[in-house]
Amino acid sequence: MTVSGSRRRPLVLRLSLTAAIAATVAGSSVAFASPAVSAPMPVRTAAAPAFTAGLCEGTEYTPSEQMLEISGIRLDHYNDGNIVPMYGTTDRGTSAAVDAPVCGVRDVDGIAKSEWMYCTDFDLDPCAGVDENGLPVDKHNDEMGATVPSSGNPDLSADDLAVISWLLQNPAKLDGVVSGNSSEDARSARQTLVWCVSDYDNPLMADFKSLCDRNIGDDERARIVEIMNVTQTLDLVRKTPATGTLKAGETAVFTLNTNMYRKPITVQSSAGTELTVCGDNAKATLTANQLTVDGRGDAPTAVDLCLTAAAGGDYSVTASVIPDSVENLHWNTAGAQCQIFASFDTVRPASMNASASVGYAAAPTTTPATTTPATTTPATPVVPIVPIVPIVPIVPIVPIVPIVPVVPVVPGAPVPSQPVATPATPAPSAPKPATGPRPVAIDGGAAEQNSGRNVAVAVTGLGLVGMAAAGAVALRRKRS
């Protein structure tokens, strides 16, 4: 039998199912010794005026105005701190007969909260309808009193309370349909699972036992009881590296330890990072930011989470979850002939949180190289090494002229003729610049001065030789 099939059951059966959930979850302690009284009534400081209540989560049709209007006696019930039933999960029921679960509204810290109420008595009246005047009535249109807080459902065992509590706080599957509050199908699946626990032995449920065994049999119920009895843990530590920082692009590994099995755990990492389940974690699934770990018992399971960052900085991973508890539910009923409803308490316990962080070193800053135009240095011409030759001053070569003794001329005495030797022709040489007045050759030609002052001259034929006390000058005739 599928969930949709359960909707085709007789109206009386549907109404009975609606009432069964409310008593199941609300009231046991963690030890589940006995049902506990539901949360105390809120202390009101002022009565609220008439108002139109909001819709419950996932409502897929538009309820009538009289269902949503909280005024008159319904307003009195609301101001007394009671939950006020408004409409059923579908629009197929009449105003007096509604399909379970039922949407109700109540005051929570001065705010009107609309929430789904699940039945925990398969064969009792929901007592959640309204007549044409908006007054609460049962399926026979008999006027009803207020739906007041209750101390759970006395027909349920501690294990039953634990399982129903878990079902109303966690998604489960009924032949592939995921239970929850978000849609009519999801609510129908959740309500059916609750009846599988609260009314499994009810003769009216005989046709649905195979459906229950398939989806929430003895083994699954025992697993859930274990979960609800453990001391719930949530721990997150950095694994690799245990200390120090990483380089951008490297992977950090964190380890999450928890025994909150099959319960979505919100896991998030800092912006700019990628987080995945890694290592040997066949029992863990990460979908978007919801991590689900499979297992049972008190011992926690370690799940490795890998984080990668592409830039330097400090990055963190956080995990948070609202712990399961039978005390998270609100119970209520309109009387002995009516359903006992269980609804998830809007005032949830503080979430459990864990976090760890890792640092990534900033990538080294690379300064763009500045292109400087190359300076072309003209090549130094290669000068051949020439051996240094010492400069020797050029001395004019004076031809050696044999010195012929000068015979003093005695006046009146004849001068004997002497043969004059003809000197060899000297090699031409560069004339030396004159250092004094230019002498004049005897024959009118140019004369070349070699040296001298206070000169006495003797001319003999083509050669002249003079001597004096102050020096000597030799003049060689040069033809001009």
Side-chain angles (χ1 to χ4, degrees):
M1 172 77 66
T2 63
V3 174
S4 58
S6 67
R7 294 189 194 135
R8 291 193 292 269
R9 66 190 68 169
L11 178 59
V12 173
L13 185 59
R14 293 203 311 269
L15 296 178
S16 299
L17 293 175
T18 305
I21 301 181
T24 312
V25 189
S28 291
S29 65
V30 177
F32 307 109
S34 61
V37 177
S38 59
M41 299 282 252
V43 177
R44 301 191 51 78
T45 56
F51 66 96
T52 299
L55 301 178
C56 281
E57 175 188 1
T59 300
E60 296 176 342
Y61 70 99
T62 303
S64 66
E65 291 183 7
Q66 68 178 18
M67 291 179 178
L68 298 177
E69 184 181 354
I70 307 302
S71 61
I73 191 171
R74 299 176 86 203
L75 180 61
D76 293 338
H77 293 166
Y78 176 86
N79 282 326
D80 287 339
N82 301 316
I83 193 164
V84 177
M86 296 188 293
Y87 60 88
T89 187
T90 73
D91 61 351
R92 289 191 284 274
T94 64
S95 59
V98 296
D99 282 342
V102 174
C103 176
V105 62
R106 67 187 180 100
D107 179 275
V108 178
D109 296 332
I111 299 174
K113 295 289 186 180
S114 298
E115 55 196 19
W116 291 105
M117 306 186 297
Y118 286 84
C119 298
T120 58
D121 293 296
F122 189 81
D123 53 357
L124 294 182
D125 192 331
C127 302
V130 294
D131 64 13
E132 63 277 6
N133 299 314
L135 298 176
V137 294
D138 62 12
K139 63 187 178 188
H140 305 295
N141 276 310
D142 296 329
E143 188 173 333
M144 300 298 303
T147 302
V148 299
S150 173
S151 58
N153 190 327
D155 293 334
L156 301 179
S157 69
D159 285 354
D160 292 338
L161 291 173
V163 175
I164 293 176
S165 177
W166 188 90
L167 288 171
L168 294 191
Q169 297 175 75
N170 297 282
K173 287 186 178 181
L174 183 76
D175 283 355
V177 178
V178 179
S179 66
N181 291 334
S182 61
S183 69
E184 182 183 327
D185 285 345
R187 290 189 297 275
S188 180
R190 176 168 281 179
Q191 177 65 87
T192 302
L193 289 168
V194 170
W195 280 323
C196 284
V197 177
S198 66
D199 289 87
Y200 182 80
D201 292 326
N202 189 316
L204 295 175
M205 281 286 292
D207 293 340
F208 305 102
K209 281 194 173 184
S210 60
L211 175 68
C212 296
D213 292 340
R214 214 166 39 244
N215 292 278
I216 190 165
D218 291 342
D219 186 66
E220 177 63 6
R221 292 177 62 176
R223 186 191 71 85
I224 294 173
V225 169
E226 288 179 0
I227 292 174
M228 296 299 290
N229 276 300
V230 302
T231 300
Q232 300 171 63
T233 62
L234 183 71
D235 181 51
L236 184 65
V237 295
R238 194 169 82 178
K239 179 180 179 181
T240 307
T243 60
T245 59
L246 295 173
K247 295 179 181 179
E250 293 182 338
T251 299
V253 181
F254 297 82
T255 298
L256 178 74
N257 292 283
T258 186
N259 58 5
M260 294 190 191
Y261 298 122
R262 297 194 189 179
K263 182 176 183 65
I265 301 170
T266 301
V267 178
Q268 295 177 308
S269 60
S270 301
T273 63
E274 180 181 357
L275 188 68
T276 59
V277 172
C278 55
D280 185 15
N281 290 292
K283 294 184 177 182
T285 303
L286 181 62
T287 303
N289 65 345
Q290 298 295 303
L291 176 71
T292 305
V293 183
D294 195 12
R296 63 188 301 172
D298 190 63
T301 294
V303 177
D304 284 346
L305 301 171
C306 286
L307 177 141
T308 305
D314 292 328
Y315 300 94
S316 63
V317 176
T318 61
S320 62
V321 63
I322 296 176
D324 294 316
S325 171
V326 293
E327 296 176 347
N328 289 354
L329 295 171
H330 182 81
W331 297 85
N332 51 79
T333 182
Q337 77 275 26
C338 301
Q339 275 298 327
I340 297 179
F341 290 103
S343 57
F344 191 87
D345 198 331
T346 306
V347 184
R348 301 188 180 190
S351 64
M352 297 177 66
N353 301 287
S355 65
S357 61
V358 66
Y360 277 78
T365 303
T366 303
T367 304
T370 303
T371 304
T372 304
T375 302
T376 304
T377 304
T380 303
V382 179
V383 179
I385 300 175
V386 179
I388 299 174
V389 178
I391 299 174
V392 179
I394 300 175
V395 179
I397 301 174
V398 179
I400 301 174
V401 179
I403 299 175
V404 179
V406 177
V407 178
V409 178
V410 178
V415 178
S417 174
Q418 297 292 335
V420 178
T422 302
T425 306
S429 61
K432 181 178 180 180
T435 59
R438 183 178 180 85
V440 178
I442 297 175
D443 60 356
E448 182 176 316
Q449 181 180 352
N450 288 329
S451 64
R453 63 179 178 175
N454 303 324
V455 180
V457 179
V459 177
T460 306
L462 295 176
L464 298 175
V465 176
M467 299 185 65
V473 174
L475 297 180
R476 178 168 53 87
R477 183 176 179 176
K478 182 179 180 182
R479 297 293 179 180
S480 54

